[in-house]
Amino acid sequence: MPGDESWHSAVADEPVVPPASFVEQANVADADVRENFEREHPACWERAADLLDWSTDYDTVLTEDGPPFRWFEGGRLNASYNCVDRHLDERKNQVALTWEGRLGESRSYSYLDLYREVNEFAAALRGLGVEEDDIVTLYMPVVPELPVAMLACARIGAPHSVVFAGFSADALATRMEDADSEYLVTCDGYYRRGAPVHQKNKADNAAMALDDGVEATVVVDRLGDDTPLADDEYDYGELVTEHRGETVEPVERDATDQLFLIYTSGTTGEPTGVRHTTGGYLSYAAWTSHAVLDIKPEDTHWCSADIGWITGHSYTVYGPLALGTTTMLYEGTPDHPEKDRVWELIERNAVDVFYTAPTAIRAFMKWGEEHPGSHDLSSLRLLGTVGEPINPRAWKWYYTHIGDEDCPVVDTWWQTETGGMMVSTLPAVDDMKPGSAGQPLPGVDARVVDIDGEPVEPGETGYLALTGPWPGMPLSMVEHEDWFAEHASVVPDLSDYDWAYFTEDSATVDEDGYITVLGRVDDVINVSGHRFGTMEIESAIADVSGVAEAAVVSGPHDLKGQAVYAYVSATEEDEGALRERIAGAVEDAIGPIAVPDVVVFTSELPKTRSGKIMRRLLEDIANGDDLGDTSALRNPEVVGELESALPDRG
Ligand code: WT7
């Protein structure tokens, strides 16, 4: 493993101190918060549970005879009550959801509006035969009916399984089959860059592929057409009207009962269902929204992730609504109709907290600072990122051009499995180090270990493991462990811990305990016996001026075993000069050994519909392997371009 200083220079930077104006008003500003959590473990987590209303108090914070661990056992609550009903006294007329549609339309729901529609739809679901613990699949773009349906399911104790709207019919069928889900809520279609996508056709095809079909399908009218409906299909609007004014008593759920199911991609490519709990998950989503995103009830919060992913579940829907804030939903894309769309929305809605992905930030950089520059972004108080490592140059651009050097930036590391943020700075407590996520959050036991499970020395690279339970842990974590032991290629030996979960990420840790996540372990390249995180090389390349985005994978090499392949989309024409600057930057940041052997320029990198670069595909292209299924790509047309741009390996 590379242990020399040069390895870290890609992320090393002067720490940035939280702005005083932010610290003064922050939800969590206690410098001892980490020590206090550690000393009071596990009672420290009462702080999270106290953010919720419980219909029956829990007996124990954590039942420690696990795994499986049980959080807040004996406690009973309802998530829909916590996200809606309990806010009515204080803020029934405050906006709960504000929605900006793809065609420029907008709609708002006050907490009272939300209460009414959640109740009416809960009554409708009951009327269709949905019972407690039945899984309801939701297959919709970001429209208000999606969170309404999630909360209606939560109200009657029926776990939802949201399937990202951009997934294919096959993907939907696989997930419904796996979940044994007989109820579906979808829409007729939606607009994508101005053109309609026929969602209902995909849902129909999925239903045909299911052995037992679908018991009942509810269709939201998004396109305004007359979609013909079969006997077991119901119009959302008609159902809600039929149940106008009805209320449904929120079903008391055990803290450990399942709130929802969400599928995520594993190493094998088979989707894995992750089951989150009612008490632990909701407490954790609320706590991290409070402590890390610093959300207040009077805020307008915008998490730009699609609700189809865990980020949208935790930080568009459950966390913000549990705290009684205004959460903003955006159906569109960031560059439609114009490249200033995001900034126009922030200005118009006076957004306080904005949470997005590094990929988006790098696109904003590429489009130019004149777009945010032409809008008043002074309502912003805090900025966040999630999903991928953020390279220091993008971090600084975000901090400077969006936050005006006056908003803390939280780089939050977590996963579908963790339910909420795990590693991040606390925005009023910790200095920020651009490129490094920060320390484990209070009460979170995350560490970087070597292959034998021993914590690494500061500056060394290792594996990121979670070595203690946290309230947001899913019911299925134990199953995942078994699965992982069978399938993974590299697994650190964690048998000395009472319990541990390997995240599949590699990371470094510095002398202050700040964790820099490098990427998934199978994205580590071994060149001449030296290991390099592809993310580390990418970060160095992404920092080169003239580079818009870069993805690094391993490819074949006669002498070195593996070679570093870099795929680059550029904003500069002169490829020769750029090639030299890239080589220079990687050499400076890491060392000559990591300089890419092959740099392929491309108009765009292949991306999944959620915006993640598909590195596995790039690796297959580099290796001349069979590309397999490329249907998850948002831009399949780039594959041909990439293949023909590769040098002849003869
Ligand atoms: C993987 C989890 C967390 C919700 C969205 C993704 C990567 C996530 C960061 C970050 C570096 C990050 C990791 C992780 N990741 N956040 N701040 N810095 N890497 O959820 O699809 O379950 O993916 O995303 O590799 O393991 P997911």
Side-chain angles (χ1 to χ4, degrees), residues 41 45 67 69 71 274 276 284 412-424 437-450 453-455 462-474 476-478 480-481 484 491-507 513 515 517 520-521:
H41 184 87
W45 288 113
F69 294 102
W71 284 93
V274 178
H276 280 291
Y284 200 67
T412 61
W413 177 91
W414 57 293
Q415 305 180 309
T416 304
E417 289 85 346
T418 69
M421 301 155 176
M422 300 294 279
V423 178
S424 168
Q439 300 172 70
L441 287 174
V444 168
D445 215 341
R447 56 188 88 194
V448 183
V449 301
D450 63 19
E454 294 293 326
Y463 306 99
L464 181 59
L466 305 175
T467 47
W470 68 101
M473 67 198 307
S476 36
M477 190 125 264
V478 177
H480 175 89
E481 282 295 270
F484 193 72
V491 190
D493 178 3
L494 299 170
S495 54
D496 280 351
Y497 297 90
D498 289 340
W499 178 84
Y501 161 78
F502 176 40
T503 66
E504 304 173 47
D505 277 341
S506 68
I515 293 173
V517 176
R520 309 289 289 194
V521 275

Side-chain angles (χ1 to χ4, degrees), residues 83 136-140 142 146-147 149-151 159-165 259-263 274-276 281-282 284-286 288-289 301 303-322 327 329 355 414-416 419-420:
C83 291
V136 180
T137 300
L138 310 178
Y139 184 51
M140 282 183 269
V142 179
L146 176 52
M150 291 163 79
L151 294 164
H160 53 72
S161 168
V162 182
V163 175
F164 174 62
L259 176 60
F260 66 82
L261 173 68
I262 184 165
Y263 283 88
V274 178
R275 296 183 290 129
H276 280 291
Y281 167 85
L282 193 62
Y284 200 67
T288 47
S289 297
H301 169 65
C303 162
S304 74
D306 193 289
I307 296 174
W309 311 118
I310 189 72
T311 308
H313 282 58
S314 302
Y315 300 112
T316 298
V317 181
Y318 286 112
L321 292 178
T327 188
L329 275 53
Y355 189 41
W414 57 293
Q415 305 180 309
T416 304

Side-chain angles (χ1 to χ4, degrees), residues 239-471:
L239 282 181
V240 165
T241 308
E242 260 168 49
H243 293 273
R244 185 67 81 220
E246 285 179 34
T247 54
V248 173
E249 193 59 28
V251 170
E252 276 201 14
R253 300 279 282 170
D254 283 344
T256 50
D257 279 343
Q258 185 179 350
L259 176 60
F260 66 82
L261 173 68
I262 184 165
Y263 283 88
T264 183
S265 307
T267 308
T268 57
E270 285 299 308
T272 320
V274 178
R275 296 183 290 129
H276 280 291
T277 65
T278 308
Y281 167 85
L282 193 62
S283 304
Y284 200 67
W287 163 254
T288 47
S289 297
H290 170 84
V292 182
L293 295 176
D294 195 53
I295 288 176
K296 321 274 198 295
E298 54 277 16
D299 283 345
T300 296
H301 169 65
W302 183 15
C303 162
S304 74
D306 193 289
I307 296 174
W309 311 118
I310 189 72
T311 308
H313 282 58
S314 302
Y315 300 112
T316 298
V317 181
Y318 286 112
L321 292 178
L323 297 180
T325 195
T326 300
T327 188
M328 189 171 122
L329 275 53
Y330 177 49
E331 190 194 23
T333 42
D335 56 349
H336 188 85
E338 298 298 335
K339 291 192 166 62
D340 68 341
R341 180 69 165 143
V342 167
W343 320 119
E344 184 256 319
L345 289 171
I346 289 179
E347 178 172 16
R348 183 149 48 80
N349 290 285
V351 170
D352 298 88
V353 178
F354 180 53
Y355 189 41
T356 193
T359 295
I361 297 167
R362 288 190 293 263
F364 301 147
M365 279 174 78
K366 182 178 169 183
W367 298 338
E369 59 214 48
E370 64 274 20
H371 299 294
S374 63
H375 291 278
D376 177 3
L377 305 180
S378 60
S379 61
L380 289 169
R381 187 176 77 245
L382 177 124
L383 300 171
T385 82
V386 60
E388 288 179 279
I390 180 163
N391 51 299
R393 196 163 67 103
W395 193 102
K396 284 183 206 147
W397 188 91
Y398 196 35
Y399 183 71
T400 307
H401 295 289
I402 307 308
D404 197 23
E405 302 189 358
D406 208 27
C407 302
V409 173
V410 288
D411 171 1
T412 61
W413 177 91
W414 57 293
Q415 305 180 309
T416 304
E417 289 85 346
T418 69
M421 301 155 176
M422 300 294 279
V423 178
S424 168
T425 50
L426 281 169
V429 174
D430 301 322
D431 289 355
M432 298 163 267
K433 300 190 187 189
S436 176
Q439 300 172 70
L441 287 174
V444 168
D445 215 341
R447 56 188 88 194
V448 183
V449 301
D450 63 19
I451 196 75
D452 301 318
E454 294 293 326
V456 299
E457 293 298 319
E460 281 177 9
T461 300
Y463 306 99
L464 181 59
L466 305 175
T467 47
W470 68 101

